[in-house]
Amino acid sequence: MGIRKLQGASCNGVLIHVDDEELERFDIREEGYKRHRIDLIDVYPHCESAGCNSVTDDLVLNAVRCPECNIVFEKAHKKRSANDVDESDIAVWVYIQNEESKPNPSFPITQSYVDIIIRGCLTVSKEFARKFLQTTHGWWNDGELDGIRRNTNDEGARQHHTWVDDRQSPMYVRADSDFSIEHGDAIDRLIEEHHPHALEKRVISM
């Protein structure tokens, strides 16, 4: 999973308040990624209510549970309005891959990893999960067959599989098997709303 810069594009995410020491630990953990600072002018609070204004609506800001995050949104709005904001005490960071790499049979998309991401999105709301799916691309990538054990028919075996349903035998080290098994069907229905053709090509790992 990675983020790419694209003019005019947007995606949803979660702000987490950390200190400098924790940030250093993130830098070590996110090997292969580089930390980039996001301009506050591009940071908006998440908004779902019909007719709400995600930029200025007090109800949206009041729903933010993290005080430091609320400061981010308030300063972001001020910067868009006046472009004169003291940012010396606050920064928003994102990790971007050093090299863009597409899924392949040696490093496929694993459903157990996707399930963890969707689980996090659902702690916000189902609409938040849908926004993630709408703005995430690259679910299907042609590749060779070697490197993945699969249980599929002859027609499927001639295809190039780079998305693996590993819920019964998770490959992802932080997988939550109980969650995946219990909510797998519901997650698949969400994915099918946005990426039905890619989902059809997903194969079962053995």
Side-chain angles (χ1 to χ4, degrees), residues 101-166:
S101 57
K102 296 180 180 179
N104 61 68
S106 296
F107 299 97
I109 299 170
T110 57
Q111 189 60 52
S112 58
Y113 178 49
V114 174
D115 289 349
I116 290 296
I117 296 173
I118 297 297
R119 184 185 70 175
C121 291
L122 290 173
T123 61
V124 180
S125 71
K126 184 175 285 189
E127 287 307 312
F128 195 83
R130 287 192 172 104
K131 176 68 174 178
F132 164 77
L133 291 168
Q134 290 167 1
T135 57
T136 304
H137 307 282
W139 295 87
W140 177 250
N141 179 49
D142 288 341
E144 299 301 326
L145 286 171
D146 62 309
I148 294 181
R149 294 173 297 147
R150 55 176 60 79
N151 178 19
T152 186
N153 55 35
D154 290 340
E155 180 182 356
R158 291 194 294 270
Q159 298 175 348
H160 303 298
H161 300 294
T162 52
W163 185 1
V164 180
D165 181 353
D166 62 332

